[in-house]
Amino acid sequence: MHTVYIIYSPSTDQYFIGQTKDLKIALWQHNAKTNPVTADGKPWEVKFKQQFDTRNEALSLEMKLKNRDRTFWEELILSAQPTI
């Protein structure tokens, strides 16, 4: 399985979109500052995730999300939240 994810950094008020085969490892890497793009944002929090059977499906959604704006990402995150 491949996962597309959106993570958020409260300290920098930024989002990051990526795709991975193992979300736990990816989140650890972002928080361990191994990725220069996200090194200043620790701690990162997962706000959205969606799983796919193939990497091509995941890459397709990742690219679509990266071409959208912050308002779209925040609406997507809110719509994915369970309602009580």
Side-chain angles (χ1 to χ4, degrees):
M1 297 294 277
H2 295 268
T3 304
V4 174
Y5 62 90
I6 300 174
I7 55 177
Y8 174 73
S9 167
S11 63
T12 61
D13 190 34
Q14 292 182 321
Y15 289 95
F16 179 84
I17 298 166
Q19 64 83 30
T20 185
K21 202 164 178 155
D22 189 324
L23 184 55
K24 287 181 184 179
I25 291 172
L27 184 60
W28 178 86
Q29 290 172 329
H30 289 296
N31 283 321
K33 301 182 179 184
T34 62
N35 183 338
V37 175
T38 59
D40 293 336
K42 183 180 178 182
W44 290 93
E45 306 166 353
V46 176
K47 294 295 186 178
F48 171 85
K49 61 183 177 180
Q50 184 172 345
Q51 293 187 322
F52 295 92
D53 291 328
T54 68
R55 184 166 189 252
N56 283 342
E57 291 172 304
L59 286 171
S60 177
L61 178 59
E62 178 189 18
M63 290 300 108
K64 288 176 186 175
L65 290 175
K66 285 184 173 182
N67 288 321
R68 301 304 296 258
D69 62 12
R70 181 183 179 118
T71 301
F72 181 86
W73 303 332
E74 289 176 343
E75 288 173 1
L76 177 65
I77 291 165
L78 285 175
S79 71
Q81 300 295 323
T83 56
I84 298 175

